Amino acid sequence: MYRSILIASIGFGSGHNRAAEAISESLALQFPDAEIKIVDFLDFEKNLWDRLSIGIYFTAIKFFPQAYHFFYKIFSNLSWLHPILFLPYKKKMRWFLKSSRAELIVSTHVFCAWASCELKREGFNIKATWGILTDFIDDAYWNTCRLDRLFVPTEELKEKLIKNGIDESSITVAQMPVSSRFYQKKDRYAICKKIDPNLKSNLFTILVLGGGNGLGNIEEIVKGLLDMRVQILVVAGINNSLRERLEGLRQRYSNIFVFGYIDNIHELMDISDICLTKPGGMTIAECMAKGLPMIIYGRPIPGPETENIAFLSKKNMAKKCETIKELQDILLAKFNPDLTLI
C-alpha cells in the first residue's frame, strides 16, 4: 500500500529512537516492498537551536525538575504556542521531503507528528500520518495533532485523547512497539559467558538502567547494593563520567559489571532477575515483553514519567522506592529472602 515510509523521531533520550527501530522492523514485514527510512530530526541538519534544546532539556531535568514540570504543563495547555515550539522540526521535515518521498510518515515524537500533519495539510504528497505514543498515560501536546491514526498503549490514554477532542475512530490501542528480540528468551548460562566470563549465571542479578543518557541516582543505587549478595549489571549509557566512577568501584567490587551505551540490553535482561530503572515508557515496555520484574527508584522526570509511575502502581506492575533502605527491604521481602546483607 505504501511504497515509501518515513519513521520520524527526535532523540531526546533513547526511547523514541528505540521505538522507531521496532516500528521499522514491524513495517518491513507489513510492507515488504516499501522503502523505509528512520530519521532522527534532532540530528538531521543539526544546528544551534538543536544544541541549545539539548542543553536546556538535560540541564532542566537534572537541576530544575519542578521548573521543567511547571513549564511542560503550561506549554502543553497553550495550543497557540505549539506552532512556534514545533516550527524548527517542520522546517527540517520539509527540507527532508524535498529530496525524499514519504507516502506514510510514522512519528514517535510529537514534534514530528505535528510537523507531518502540517506538511500534509500544505499539500505535500503524504498519503497518511501516524503517531506512536511511547508513554502510558501522558497525552500532552499529542491532543493538538490531527493524525490519520494514533496508536496508544492503554485504554486510559485513549479515553484522555477522546476527551481532549481526538476522533475516536483514529485511535488504536496497541502494544508499545518493542523489537522482537525482547520477546525471545535465550539461555542464561550461554549469555553470561558471551558477555563476560566472570558473570555467574546462578547468582541473583540486578540490572540497573538510567536510559541512554545514564540519568537518575545510578551511583547511589549501586553503592546501596554492595552489601547484598547480588550481581550488579549497570548501564551508564553515554554518561562517560558516571561510567568512569562506576569502573572505579568495579576495581574494588568484583560483583559489579559496567557497560556504556550498548545495543544488547535484551541480553542483559535475559540474565537478570530484576530491573531497577527510571520509568521511561520504552524501558518499561521492554521489561514487560521480557517478563522482567521492575523497581522504579528515585525521583522521576516530572511529566510523562510521573504519569507512567502512577499507571504502573495502579496496575500493580512495578514497585517504587525512594531510599536505599526501601530498596533493600523490597528485594529481601518480595523477590529473594536469601539476599542477606553481607
Short mmCIF file of all heavy atoms in Angstrom, two decimals, residues 188-201 231-233 247 250 254-259 264 267-268 271:
data_model
loop_
_atom_site.label_atom_id
_atom_site.label_comp_id
_atom_site.label_asym_id
_atom_site.label_seq_id
_atom_site.Cartn_x
_atom_site.Cartn_y
_atom_site.Cartn_z
N ARG A 188 20.52 -18.54 29.76
CA ARG A 188 21.19 -17.63 30.69
C ARG A 188 22.69 -17.92 30.80
O ARG A 188 23.51 -16.99 30.76
CB ARG A 188 20.52 -17.73 32.07
CG ARG A 188 21.10 -16.81 33.12
CD ARG A 188 20.16 -16.70 34.29
NE ARG A 188 20.71 -15.92 35.39
CZ ARG A 188 19.98 -15.21 36.23
NH1 ARG A 188 18.67 -15.16 36.10
NH2 ARG A 188 20.55 -14.53 37.22
N TYR A 189 23.05 -19.17 30.92
CA TYR A 189 24.46 -19.53 31.07
C TYR A 189 25.26 -19.10 29.85
O TYR A 189 26.34 -18.51 29.96
CB TYR A 189 24.58 -21.04 31.29
CG TYR A 189 26.01 -21.53 31.40
CD1 TYR A 189 26.70 -21.45 32.62
CD2 TYR A 189 26.67 -22.06 30.29
CE1 TYR A 189 28.02 -21.89 32.71
CE2 TYR A 189 27.99 -22.50 30.38
CZ TYR A 189 28.65 -22.41 31.59
OH TYR A 189 29.96 -22.85 31.68
N ALA A 190 24.72 -19.38 28.66
CA ALA A 190 25.42 -19.04 27.42
C ALA A 190 25.61 -17.53 27.27
O ALA A 190 26.68 -17.07 26.85
CB ALA A 190 24.66 -19.61 26.22
N ILE A 191 24.57 -16.77 27.62
CA ILE A 191 24.67 -15.31 27.50
C ILE A 191 25.68 -14.76 28.50
O ILE A 191 26.46 -13.84 28.18
CB ILE A 191 23.29 -14.65 27.70
CG1 ILE A 191 22.34 -15.08 26.59
CG2 ILE A 191 23.42 -13.13 27.72
CD1 ILE A 191 22.77 -14.68 25.21
N CYS A 192 25.70 -15.30 29.71
CA CYS A 192 26.70 -14.86 30.70
C CYS A 192 28.11 -15.04 30.15
O CYS A 192 28.95 -14.13 30.24
CB CYS A 192 26.54 -15.63 32.00
SG CYS A 192 25.17 -15.09 33.04
N LYS A 193 28.39 -16.20 29.59
CA LYS A 193 29.73 -16.48 29.08
C LYS A 193 30.07 -15.60 27.88
O LYS A 193 31.21 -15.20 27.68
CB LYS A 193 29.85 -17.96 28.71
CG LYS A 193 29.77 -18.88 29.91
CD LYS A 193 30.75 -18.47 31.00
CE LYS A 193 30.57 -19.24 32.29
NZ LYS A 193 31.40 -18.69 33.40
N LYS A 194 29.05 -15.28 27.09
CA LYS A 194 29.25 -14.42 25.92
C LYS A 194 29.60 -12.98 26.33
O LYS A 194 30.50 -12.36 25.76
CB LYS A 194 27.98 -14.42 25.06
CG LYS A 194 28.02 -13.43 23.90
CD LYS A 194 26.68 -13.38 23.20
CE LYS A 194 26.65 -12.26 22.16
NZ LYS A 194 25.32 -12.14 21.50
N ILE A 195 28.89 -12.47 27.34
CA ILE A 195 29.08 -11.08 27.74
C ILE A 195 30.35 -10.89 28.54
O ILE A 195 31.15 -9.98 28.29
CB ILE A 195 27.85 -10.58 28.53
CG1 ILE A 195 26.63 -10.52 27.61
CG2 ILE A 195 28.10 -9.21 29.15
CD1 ILE A 195 25.34 -10.18 28.31
N ASP A 196 30.55 -11.75 29.55
CA ASP A 196 31.74 -11.66 30.40
C ASP A 196 31.92 -13.01 31.10
O ASP A 196 31.02 -13.44 31.84
CB ASP A 196 31.58 -10.55 31.44
CG ASP A 196 32.86 -10.25 32.21
OD1 ASP A 196 33.56 -11.21 32.61
OD2 ASP A 196 33.17 -9.06 32.41
N PRO A 197 33.04 -13.67 30.90
CA PRO A 197 33.26 -14.99 31.52
C PRO A 197 33.16 -14.98 33.04
O PRO A 197 32.96 -16.02 33.66
CB PRO A 197 34.68 -15.35 31.07
CG PRO A 197 34.92 -14.54 29.84
CD PRO A 197 34.16 -13.27 30.05
N ASN A 198 33.29 -13.76 33.65
CA ASN A 198 33.22 -13.68 35.11
C ASN A 198 31.80 -13.60 35.65
O ASN A 198 31.59 -13.66 36.87
CB ASN A 198 34.01 -12.46 35.60
CG ASN A 198 35.50 -12.59 35.31
OD1 ASN A 198 36.12 -13.60 35.63
ND2 ASN A 198 36.08 -11.57 34.69
N LEU A 199 30.82 -13.44 34.76
CA LEU A 199 29.43 -13.42 35.20
C LEU A 199 29.00 -14.80 35.68
O LEU A 199 29.35 -15.81 35.06
CB LEU A 199 28.52 -12.97 34.06
CG LEU A 199 28.48 -11.46 33.76
CD1 LEU A 199 27.81 -11.21 32.42
CD2 LEU A 199 27.73 -10.72 34.87
N LYS A 200 28.24 -14.82 36.76
CA LYS A 200 27.76 -16.09 37.34
C LYS A 200 26.28 -16.24 37.03
O LYS A 200 25.46 -15.44 37.47
CB LYS A 200 28.01 -16.12 38.84
CG LYS A 200 29.49 -16.06 39.23
CD LYS A 200 29.66 -16.06 40.73
CE LYS A 200 31.12 -16.15 41.13
NZ LYS A 200 31.95 -15.05 40.62
N SER A 201 25.94 -17.28 36.31
CA SER A 201 24.55 -17.48 35.89
C SER A 201 23.64 -17.91 37.03
O SER A 201 22.42 -17.79 36.93
CB SER A 201 24.48 -18.51 34.76
OG SER A 201 24.99 -19.76 35.20
N GLN A 231 24.64 -9.84 42.11
CA GLN A 231 25.47 -9.47 40.98
C GLN A 231 24.81 -8.25 40.32
O GLN A 231 23.61 -8.25 40.11
CB GLN A 231 25.52 -10.65 40.02
CG GLN A 231 26.46 -10.53 38.86
CD GLN A 231 26.62 -11.91 38.20
OE1 GLN A 231 27.69 -12.49 38.23
NE2 GLN A 231 25.56 -12.43 37.63
N ILE A 232 25.58 -7.21 40.03
CA ILE A 232 25.01 -5.95 39.56
C ILE A 232 25.49 -5.66 38.14
O ILE A 232 26.69 -5.57 37.88
CB ILE A 232 25.40 -4.78 40.48
CG1 ILE A 232 25.05 -5.09 41.93
CG2 ILE A 232 24.73 -3.50 40.02
CD1 ILE A 232 25.73 -4.17 42.94
N LEU A 233 24.54 -5.51 37.22
CA LEU A 233 24.83 -5.06 35.86
C LEU A 233 24.34 -3.63 35.75
O LEU A 233 23.15 -3.37 35.93
CB LEU A 233 24.11 -5.93 34.83
CG LEU A 233 24.18 -7.45 34.99
CD1 LEU A 233 23.41 -8.13 33.87
CD2 LEU A 233 25.62 -7.92 35.02
N GLU A 247 33.45 2.34 37.07
CA GLU A 247 34.61 1.49 36.80
C GLU A 247 35.57 1.51 37.98
O GLU A 247 36.23 0.51 38.28
CB GLU A 247 35.32 1.96 35.53
CG GLU A 247 34.54 1.72 34.24
CD GLU A 247 34.54 0.28 33.79
OE1 GLU A 247 35.05 -0.58 34.53
OE2 GLU A 247 34.01 0.00 32.69
N ARG A 250 34.27 -0.85 40.37
CA ARG A 250 34.50 -2.20 39.83
C ARG A 250 35.89 -2.72 40.23
O ARG A 250 36.08 -3.93 40.42
CB ARG A 250 34.36 -2.14 38.31
CG ARG A 250 34.90 -3.34 37.54
CD ARG A 250 34.02 -4.54 37.68
NE ARG A 250 34.49 -5.63 36.82
CZ ARG A 250 34.23 -6.90 37.01
NH1 ARG A 250 33.49 -7.27 38.03
NH2 ARG A 250 34.67 -7.82 36.20
N SER A 254 34.09 -7.08 42.74
CA SER A 254 34.07 -7.93 41.54
C SER A 254 32.66 -8.29 41.08
O SER A 254 32.48 -8.85 40.00
CB SER A 254 34.87 -9.21 41.80
OG SER A 254 34.28 -9.95 42.87
N ASN A 255 31.65 -7.96 41.91
CA ASN A 255 30.27 -8.31 41.54
C ASN A 255 29.59 -7.20 40.73
O ASN A 255 28.40 -7.28 40.44
CB ASN A 255 29.44 -8.64 42.78
CG ASN A 255 29.31 -7.46 43.73
OD1 ASN A 255 30.23 -6.64 43.84
ND2 ASN A 255 28.19 -7.38 44.42
N ILE A 256 30.33 -6.14 40.38
CA ILE A 256 29.79 -5.06 39.56
C ILE A 256 30.30 -5.22 38.13
O ILE A 256 31.49 -5.43 37.90
CB ILE A 256 30.21 -3.67 40.09
CG1 ILE A 256 29.75 -3.47 41.53
CG2 ILE A 256 29.65 -2.57 39.19
CD1 ILE A 256 30.25 -2.17 42.13
N PHE A 257 29.39 -5.10 37.16
CA PHE A 257 29.76 -5.16 35.75
C PHE A 257 29.21 -3.90 35.08
O PHE A 257 27.99 -3.65 35.13
CB PHE A 257 29.20 -6.42 35.10
CG PHE A 257 29.78 -7.68 35.68
CD1 PHE A 257 29.25 -8.23 36.85
CD2 PHE A 257 30.87 -8.31 35.10
CE1 PHE A 257 29.78 -9.38 37.41
CE2 PHE A 257 31.42 -9.46 35.64
CZ PHE A 257 30.88 -10.00 36.81
N VAL A 258 30.08 -3.12 34.49
CA VAL A 258 29.72 -1.78 34.00
C VAL A 258 29.70 -1.77 32.46
O VAL A 258 30.62 -2.29 31.81
CB VAL A 258 30.71 -0.73 34.52
CG1 VAL A 258 30.30 0.67 34.04
CG2 VAL A 258 30.80 -0.77 36.04
N PHE A 259 28.66 -1.14 31.90
CA PHE A 259 28.51 -1.04 30.45
C PHE A 259 28.24 0.41 30.07
O PHE A 259 27.65 1.17 30.84
CB PHE A 259 27.36 -1.92 29.96
CG PHE A 259 27.48 -3.36 30.38
CD1 PHE A 259 26.98 -3.79 31.61
CD2 PHE A 259 28.11 -4.29 29.57
CE1 PHE A 259 27.09 -5.11 32.00
CE2 PHE A 259 28.23 -5.62 29.96
CZ PHE A 259 27.72 -6.03 31.18
N ASN A 264 22.65 -4.36 23.21
CA ASN A 264 22.20 -5.71 23.60
C ASN A 264 21.56 -5.72 24.99
O ASN A 264 21.75 -6.65 25.77
CB ASN A 264 23.35 -6.70 23.53
CG ASN A 264 24.45 -6.39 24.55
OD1 ASN A 264 24.66 -5.24 24.90
ND2 ASN A 264 25.15 -7.42 25.03
N GLU A 267 19.85 -8.84 25.98
CA GLU A 267 20.63 -9.94 26.53
C GLU A 267 20.91 -9.73 28.02
O GLU A 267 20.89 -10.69 28.80
CB GLU A 267 21.95 -10.10 25.76
CG GLU A 267 21.74 -10.59 24.33
CD GLU A 267 23.04 -10.88 23.61
OE1 GLU A 267 24.05 -10.19 23.88
OE2 GLU A 267 23.05 -11.78 22.77
N LEU A 268 21.14 -8.49 28.42
CA LEU A 268 21.31 -8.21 29.85
C LEU A 268 20.03 -8.55 30.61
O LEU A 268 20.08 -9.03 31.74
CB LEU A 268 21.70 -6.75 30.08
CG LEU A 268 23.04 -6.28 29.51
CD1 LEU A 268 23.36 -4.88 30.03
CD2 LEU A 268 24.17 -7.24 29.85
N ILE A 271 19.68 -12.29 31.47
CA ILE A 271 20.47 -12.85 32.57
C ILE A 271 20.19 -12.15 33.89
O ILE A 271 20.92 -12.34 34.86
CB ILE A 271 21.98 -12.82 32.24
CG1 ILE A 271 22.47 -11.38 32.06
CG2 ILE A 271 22.28 -13.65 31.00
CD1 ILE A 271 23.98 -11.25 31.88
#
